[in-house]
Amino acid sequence: MVGKVNACVIISGKGSNLKQIIISSREYNFPINIKLIISNNPMAQGLKLAKKYNIPFKFFSSYNYRIFERNCLLEIKKKKIKFICLAGFMKVLSENFLKTFKHKVINIHPSLLPKFKGLNTHKKVLDNKEKYSGCTVHFVTSSLDSGQIIMQKKIIVEKNETVFSLKKKVLRQEHKIYSKAIRKIFKTT
Ligand code: GRF
């Protein structure tokens, strides 16, 4: 595709969603090109993917969050990034960061938002005896796991479901809908 949008993915951990986005981005008609990967965790496994796929990456400590965001913004500007995907990034971006990127930052969360925001999602789903769970891709605001929903995928919670099995099942769907949601935003499906 001519004129793909320069994008950055921000991670904190394993990066399995990052991997799927990278794979999709290599398709001719995928709307974004991953030009930068940022992690606030130097040990994030996802950084290995940056090396494997030869994508520029940066580690910035988020110990001082204001400095973290400033470092991100500087690098993002340098690389002419116009779109940001959060993929397992364990922090909330500030209003100040987001004002430059209105409707240009998206996130994936392993629940059917607005239900079960925050951490330990699958445990909360099981404790609450939910019949269904799933995952959500949404625009990012400065409130945790809020913002307009772009796409959701629902799955059935089986009777013998465990946190481990639910996580695995939901993650499999996350890998499918993240790229679909990106295509939807840029209307290339
Ligand atoms: C995913 O479940 C995502 O929804 C949540 O954190 C997990 C990250 O997984 N925000 P990975 O790093 O993409 O493998």
Side-chain angles (χ1 to χ4, degrees):
M1 185 174 159
V2 189
K4 288 191 182 196
V5 173
N6 288 349
C8 165
V9 182
I10 309 183
I11 60 167
S12 295
K14 195 161 168 242
S16 66
N17 279 293
L18 164 67
K19 185 176 177 188
Q20 290 307 314
I21 301 170
I22 294 173
I23 291 169
S24 297
S25 75
R26 306 265 147 141
E27 286 171 27
Y28 165 75
N29 63 353
F30 199 69
I32 65 170
N33 207 354
I34 313 302
K35 292 281 189 185
L36 175 67
I37 294 166
I38 294 176
S39 173
N40 65 330
N41 169 12
M43 306 305 280
Q45 275 188 56
L47 288 177
K48 289 193 188 135
L49 293 166
K51 290 179 198 151
K52 179 174 173 195
Y53 289 94
N54 207 13
I55 298 171
F57 65 93
K58 288 277 175 193
F59 153 70
F60 294 129
S61 165
S62 54
Y63 183 71
N64 180 325
Y65 201 57
R66 205 173 49 83
I67 295 176
F68 169 77
E69 286 195 334
R70 200 184 61 196
N71 284 332
C72 288
L73 283 172
L74 282 173
E75 197 60 30
I76 278 167
K77 219 172 156 186
K78 210 161 94 186
K79 294 266 181 335
K80 298 188 170 34
I81 301 295
K82 303 285 182 226
F83 192 76
I84 300 171
C85 303
L86 308 183
F89 175 58
M90 304 307 278
K91 298 267 180 189
V92 178
L93 292 170
S94 73
E95 198 63 58
N96 179 55
F97 184 101
L98 292 167
K99 71 177 180 219
T100 346
F101 287 98
K102 212 164 171 56
H103 270 77
K104 298 281 188 297
V105 186
I106 64 171
N107 180 42
I108 190 153
H109 184 74
S111 79
L112 293 172
L113 290 173
K115 282 186 161 184
F116 309 113
K117 297 175 181 182
L119 297 174
N120 304 317
T121 321
H122 305 303
K123 182 171 187 309
K124 289 179 198 162
V125 167
L126 295 179
D127 288 350
N128 220 43
K129 303 201 182 329
E130 294 288 318
K131 286 202 173 91
Y132 301 98
S133 188
C135 47
T136 305
V137 180
H138 65 95
F139 287 109
V140 170
T141 67
S142 54
S143 307
L144 178 68
D145 299 326
S146 301
Q148 190 191 326
I149 290 170
I150 301 156
M151 195 174 274
Q152 286 187 311
K153 176 72 187 179
K154 196 175 184 179
I155 56 124
I156 295 169
V157 179
E158 305 291 348
K159 280 199 181 71
N160 57 350
E161 207 80 68
T162 63
V163 168
F164 180 78
S165 66
L166 190 55
K167 184 177 172 186
K168 200 168 153 196
K169 235 159 91 173
V170 171
L171 197 57
R172 204 176 302 135
Q173 296 308 321
E174 289 184 48
H175 295 160
K176 290 184 187 163
I177 73 159
Y178 213 156
S179 295
K180 270 192 190 168
I182 294 169
R183 287 183 191 278
K184 185 180 170 190
I185 294 166
F186 292 92
K187 296 191 177 52
T188 51
T189 38

